[in-house]
């Protein structure tokens, strides 16, 4: 019987994965077809994100019993890499929602889980509003206070990635009740008149992520949507690792997109200035660059999926009620540890691709530069050096990386 189960499980997973690819693959193709035009016009992907939500992308990690697909981390991040190859902006725009799904999965309160899973399975999207210009993460200026028996949210957040597309926003704040100050998270609807999201993100890459400013003015807060920070998960969570792995999936997708576009460029070239003895598509230099980048694409995808497998191990243990501190620490270390490796590989690949075509590869109409710009911008979020320090402490001293990151967040001024 054991042998039969070992054989049957991979088959069922493959069938389910094929089903997911069948659902979302055609949408990814449509998204990719308009990526360069959106970049040129700086047109935010509202319609593309809504198409994904309508097909159920937002509920991939929602358990089946709550109406989701119940996808594993490996299945989910495989799809996320493919979406990144279509348009890495959308991966980052969905990052807050992806984290919120994991937050909800590990929440202590059954009614909270039921309510939010229902909203998510109905196609609602949750954005992110955590960062502020100054101060430290645990001492934020954004606050929830009571006035005339109503909880109200006031404050300004920056880098509110994805919130301009969202139905709800997860906000980090401080709940002030007399002399009591409690760090909390709250969820508020973007339909409230006091929520104003501005597309003022001016980074040179990832221009279409909606990572702008959001201002909250007397926004009513449902007490059911207010949770003391870090009080939701009974045995910890894979949140930190998930958030970072989303960035790595975006990077893996960027590398795949860059390789595909430059391969098409090489195949279509008729002129070979530097080596006229051979056609451009047989130029040894071009072939070497393409071969090296092919290796990068394959390596970083495998790296992302390997890290996702570590998340699956920790999540599975928590789902059945185990105290999974060691598995969580190992998952965090896995993701944080490969972060710098993926960054270096993708930046190298997206930079060297211009070696295949001389100046013609820099034509603005091809927009090949967006791949390096996007990779550099994604890599600048949540700098890898901090996470490498955490991994070093884990390797040398057994310190849980996620716990060190929590300490850093409470002591270091927030930049992104």
């Amino acid at each position: 019987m054991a042998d039969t189960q070992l054989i049957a499980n991979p088959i069922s997973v493959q069938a389910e994965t094929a089903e997911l690819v069948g659902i979302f693959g055609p949408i990814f193709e449509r998204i990719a077809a308009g990526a360069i035009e959106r970049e040129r016009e700086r047109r935010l992907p509202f319609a593309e994100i809504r198409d994904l939500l309508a097909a159920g992308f937002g509920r991939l990690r929602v358990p089946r019993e709550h109406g989701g697909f119940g996808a594993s981390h490996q299945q989910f991040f495989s799809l996320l890499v493919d979406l990144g190859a279509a348009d890495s902006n959308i991966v980052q725009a969905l990052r807050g929602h992806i984290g919120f799904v994991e937050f909800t999965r590990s929440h202590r309160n059954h009614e909270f889980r039921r309510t939010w899973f229902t909203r998510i399975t109905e196609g609602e999207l949750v954005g992110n509003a955590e960062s502020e210009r100054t101060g430290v993460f645990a001492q934020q200026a954004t606050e929830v206070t009571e006035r005339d028996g109503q909880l109200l949210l006031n404050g300004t957040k920056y880098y509110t990635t994805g919130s301009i597309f969202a139905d709800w926003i997860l906000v980090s704040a401080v709940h002030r009740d007399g002399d009591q100050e409690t760090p909390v998270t709250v969820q508020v609807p973007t339909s409230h008149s006091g929520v104003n999201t501005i597309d003022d993100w001016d980074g040179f890459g990832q221009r279409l992520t909606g990572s702008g400013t959001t201002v909250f003015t007397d926004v009513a807060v449902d007490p059911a949507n207010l949770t003391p920070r870090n009080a939701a998960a009974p045995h910890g969570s894979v949140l930190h690792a998930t958030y970072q792995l989303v960035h790595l999936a975006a990077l893996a997708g960027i590398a795949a997109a860059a390789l595909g576009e430059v391969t098409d460029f090489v195949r279509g070239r008729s002129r070979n200035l530097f080596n006229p003895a051979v056609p451009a598509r047989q130029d040894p230099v071009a072939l070497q660059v393409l071969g090296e980048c092919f290796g990068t694409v394959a390596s970083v995808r495998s790296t992302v999926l390997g890290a996702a497998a570590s998340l699956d191990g920790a999540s599975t243990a928590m789902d059945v009620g185990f105290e999974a501190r060691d598995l969580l620490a190992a998952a965090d270390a896995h993701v944080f540890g490969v972060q710098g490796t993926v960054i270096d590989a993708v930046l190298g690949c997206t930079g060297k691709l211009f070696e295949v075509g001389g100046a013609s590869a820099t034509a603005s109409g091809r927009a090949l530069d967006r791949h390096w710009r996007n990779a550099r911008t994604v890599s600048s979020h949540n700098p890898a050096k901090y996470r490498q320090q955490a991994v070093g402490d884990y390797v040398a001293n057994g310190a849980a990386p996620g716990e060190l990151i929590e300490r850093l967040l409470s002591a270091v001024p927030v930049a992104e």
Side-chain angles (χ1 to χ4, degrees):
M1 179 63 70
D3 290 342
T4 301
Q5 289 176 339
L6 286 174
I7 294 172
N9 284 340
I11 293 173
S12 64
V13 169
Q14 288 172 4
E16 184 176 322
T17 299
E19 177 188 1
L20 294 175
V21 172
I23 293 170
F24 296 107
I27 302 175
F28 296 163
E29 290 177 5
R30 293 196 296 271
I31 289 172
I36 293 177
E37 183 180 355
R38 287 192 299 274
E39 175 78 11
R40 289 198 201 109
E41 298 176 356
R42 204 185 187 285
R43 176 167 58 83
L44 297 181
F46 286 98
E48 290 75 12
I49 287 175
R50 283 297 150 187
D51 284 348
L52 285 168
L53 294 174
F57 198 84
R59 58 185 173 93
L60 276 165
R61 283 280 299 150
V62 173
R64 287 186 179 275
E65 61 267 28
H66 289 282
F69 287 102
S72 69
H73 286 286
Q74 291 178 81
Q75 291 171 317
F76 176 72
F77 279 100
S78 179
L79 289 171
L80 205 62
V81 172
D82 292 342
L83 176 57
D87 189 338
S88 63
N89 289 278
I90 296 178
V91 171
Q92 192 172 346
L94 296 177
R95 184 170 177 255
H97 181 89
I98 293 165
F100 184 75
V101 171
E102 296 303 323
F103 173 82
T104 303
R105 282 180 62 101
S106 61
H107 202 284
R108 294 176 190 269
N109 187 287
H110 173 76
E111 184 59 26
F112 182 97
R113 293 196 304 274
R114 187 194 66 78
T115 298
W116 282 102
F117 282 149
T118 297
R119 288 170 175 158
I120 291 166
T121 56
E122 290 175 350
E124 296 190 7
L125 182 69
V126 181
N128 162 74
E130 298 192 83
S131 299
E132 298 186 3
R133 293 285 196 195
T134 58
V136 298
F137 194 84
Q139 299 174 348
Q140 300 194 29
T142 301
E143 60 183 22
V144 177
T145 56
E146 183 175 338
R147 186 191 308 158
D148 300 326
Q150 173 70 65
L151 293 176
L152 298 174
L153 174 70
N154 285 277
T156 300
K157 295 289 188 176
Y158 304 90
Y159 311 112
T160 59
T161 302
S163 290
I164 200 168
F165 309 106
D167 303 289
W168 295 83
I169 304 178
L170 174 72
V171 187
S172 292
V174 174
H175 181 204
R176 303 192 190 281
D177 185 9
D179 294 333
Q180 283 286 107
E181 296 185 0
T182 307
V184 295
T185 59
V186 298
Q187 298 85 43
V188 295
T190 57
S191 59
H192 192 285
S193 60
V195 178
N196 182 25
T197 300
I198 307 160
D199 180 27
D200 59 356
W201 165 240
D202 64 351
F204 63 62
Q206 296 293 94
R207 294 171 172 171
L208 309 180
T209 58
S211 299
T213 302
T214 300
V215 180
F216 302 94
T217 306
D218 288 340
V219 180
V221 174
D222 184 341
N225 292 334
L226 185 150
T227 305
R229 180 168 167 77
N230 294 334
H235 307 303
S237 74
V238 295
L239 265 179
H240 287 304
T242 296
Y243 278 131
Q244 297 313 311
L245 197 53
V246 171
H247 281 328
L248 301 190
L251 284 166
I254 289 168
L259 175 61
E261 289 181 26
V262 171
T263 300
D264 289 342
F265 170 68
V266 170
R267 287 172 176 165
R269 279 176 61 80
S270 59
R271 177 172 177 262
N272 190 354
L273 175 64
F274 296 104
N275 191 358
V278 296
R281 64 186 297 163
Q282 294 177 7
D283 188 311
V285 172
L287 296 181
Q288 179 177 346
V289 170
L290 293 179
E292 290 173 357
C293 289
F294 177 88
T296 296
V297 169
S299 296
V300 296
R301 185 186 187 98
S302 295
T303 298
V304 168
L305 297 185
S310 294
L311 298 193
D312 277 325
S315 293
T316 299
M318 288 187 294
D319 285 346
V320 297
F322 285 128
E323 191 78 46
R325 185 177 184 275
D326 289 347
L327 288 173
L328 286 170
D332 284 340
H334 194 158
V335 175
F336 299 169
V338 301
Q339 187 176 356
T341 303
V342 171
I343 288 171
D344 289 346
V346 174
L347 287 176
C349 172
T350 54
K352 74 174 63 171
L353 288 177
F354 293 94
E355 301 293 336
V356 303
S360 59
T362 67
S364 59
R366 301 185 188 279
L368 292 176
D369 62 304
R370 79 187 192 282
H371 297 304
W372 184 89
R373 288 188 289 100
N374 288 343
R376 180 63 270 174
T377 302
V378 171
S379 301
S380 298
H381 291 296
N382 311 121
K385 297 297 183 187
Y386 286 109
R387 277 150 187 85
Q388 288 170 334
Q389 291 177 26
V391 174
D393 199 9
Y394 171 78
V395 172
N397 305 307
E403 294 174 11
L404 176 58
I405 296 301
E406 283 292 336
R407 293 199 298 273
L408 287 171
L409 287 174
S410 65
V412 178
V414 173
E416 296 183 72

